[in-house]
Amino acid sequence: MTTTQTHMRREVEEIPQAVARFLDRSGTVLEQAGKDLRRRDPAFAITVARGSSSHAATYLKYVSELELGLPFAPVGPSVASIYGAKLRLKEAACIAVSQSGKSPDIVALAQSARAQGALTIALTNTADSPLARDSDHAVDIMAGPELSVAATKTFVNSIVAGLGLLAHAAGDEKLLSALKALPEQLQKAIDCDWSALTGALEGRSSLFVLGRGPSSAIASEAALKFKETCGIHAEAYSAAEVMHGPMALVGGGFPVVALAARDAAEPSVAASADALVARQGAVFATSALATQAARLPFVATGHPLTDALPLVVSFYAFVEAFARHRGLNPDMPRNLRKVTETV
């Protein structure tokens, strides 16, 4: 195992500072965009994103539906870029999430949505990108340069930006206050030791990652990072959905990571985790409610809409170390590069 600190590890350690910087400097743009979203009062919203950004959009989908009663639906960028379809979006909002803000298919759908009358809001780490220029509101997530191929601080800052946007749209002072506490909580999350997972993953080529509600977005992101950095096949499932067909694979020490947040879904995630232990799975859960699954340490935020976010920071710290344990460089995943532009 190399002892040289990777870009990924440095960027994980930068997450608390990146979030604090964003919260300190972005109040005006978030308030303006949030008030515009509230004034326009869309009937529904769509998200435009790929990769880790699409997982961030999934997190925001749940927050929007729980906080505003505003349904979110992901739309495939190819609808505009390849098929040339014009969606009926006059009464909609469009939230585009992209690190670079320049992938042609993401930009094409955002442009089409705006042309069809949607309120368009871009969350991007590149303030002068085409996506930012072509949106009604451009929110610079201010994560700073990210050199590792695997997105970490841009993922977290995209979610924080979306949470701030939706909090302003709802006029939710409690959520805004919870966001201010995040940097300190995320710092603590880096130090949560998930190395107990290492033994369960040794010699394994596949695992499940479970979540529900906002934590389902974290599960999807974790599954992607297992593939990218560790060369392990991981699938993300709802803790409810896994109890249907996918459960057939569990047995003989099959690894399962159940990511529970302190929200209304926690009891069901913990129950699913314990049920999979009974089927001979090697199950780990971030919940004190799980009585049979092994427990992973977590940082509780005190707010149900932010509580899932520290989980991904603890996971990032683990998966970077686990990749190195497997003799891999998490900064240079096979076949991947930092910016992927699709049409």
Side-chain angles (χ1 to χ4, degrees), residues 8 50-53 55 99 148-152 220-234 315-316 319 323 328-338 340:
M8 184 177 180
R50 290 200 186 280
S52 289
S53 294
H55 305 152
Q99 295 172 42
S148 176
V149 170
T152 54
S220 294
E221 172 66 2
L224 175 63
K225 289 299 186 288
F226 270 122
K227 296 167 189 166
E228 283 182 339
T229 65
C230 300
I232 294 177
H233 178 257
F315 169 77
Y316 284 153
V319 81
L328 301 172
N329 181 354
D331 290 337
M332 300 178 65
R334 187 178 60 169
N335 300 329
L336 297 180
R337 58 183 181 177
K338 181 59 184 172
T340 301

Side-chain angles (χ1 to χ4, degrees), residues 279-303:
R279 289 162 175 79
Q280 306 306 309
V283 187
F284 297 79
T286 59
S287 174
L289 301 182
T291 59
Q292 303 302 314
R295 295 181 187 175
L296 293 173
F298 58 86
V299 174
T301 68
H303 195 292

Side-chain angles (χ1 to χ4, degrees), residues 201-224:
L201 295 173
E202 291 286 11
R204 296 286 177 172
S205 59
S206 187
L207 73 148
F208 288 162
V209 189
L210 311 182
R212 203 162 187 189
S215 74
S216 68
I218 305 304
S220 294
E221 172 66 2
L224 175 63

Side-chain angles (χ1 to χ4, degrees), residues 245-259:
M247 187 173 63
L249 294 178
V250 177
F254 185 88
V256 179
V257 180
L259 299 177

Side-chain angles (χ1 to χ4, degrees), residues 31 38 49 72 193 208 229-230 233 294 299 305 313:
E31 184 175 5
R38 180 168 53 193
F72 262 55
D193 183 2
F208 288 162
T229 65
C230 300
H233 178 257
V299 174
L305 297 182
V313 177

Side-chain angles (χ1 to χ4, degrees), residues 105-260:
D105 53 352
I106 303 290
V107 175
L109 183 50
Q111 289 173 332
S112 177
R114 192 179 190 187
Q116 298 305 309
L119 170 67
T120 55
I121 302 172
L123 308 180
T124 176
N125 201 38
T126 311
D128 61 348
S129 63
L131 181 64
R133 292 194 298 268
D134 290 337
S135 298
D136 294 312
H137 297 277
V139 179
D140 181 358
I141 66 170
M142 302 183 198
E146 190 172 61
L147 300 179
S148 176
V149 170
T152 54
K153 60 181 181 174
T154 52
F155 175 77
V156 174
N157 270 38
S158 293
I159 291 176
V160 172
L163 285 169
L165 167 72
L166 296 172
H168 280 292
D172 188 337
E173 293 298 330
K174 288 184 178 180
L175 180 53
L176 289 171
S177 179
L179 291 176
K180 292 178 183 178
L182 271 176
E184 181 178 353
Q185 294 161 347
L186 298 179
Q187 185 65 54
K188 293 177 181 178
I190 295 173
D191 296 327
C192 285
D193 183 2
W194 287 18
S195 60
L197 288 172
T198 301
L201 295 173
E202 291 286 11
R204 296 286 177 172
S205 59
S206 187
L207 73 148
F208 288 162
V209 189
L210 311 182
R212 203 162 187 189
S215 74
S216 68
I218 305 304
S220 294
E221 172 66 2
L224 175 63
K225 289 299 186 288
F226 270 122
K227 296 167 189 166
E228 283 182 339
T229 65
C230 300
I232 294 177
H233 178 257
E235 290 297 324
Y237 286 104
S238 158
E241 189 67 28
V242 76
M243 304 308 290
H244 295 268
M247 187 173 63
L249 294 178
V250 177
F254 185 88
V256 179
V257 180
L259 299 177

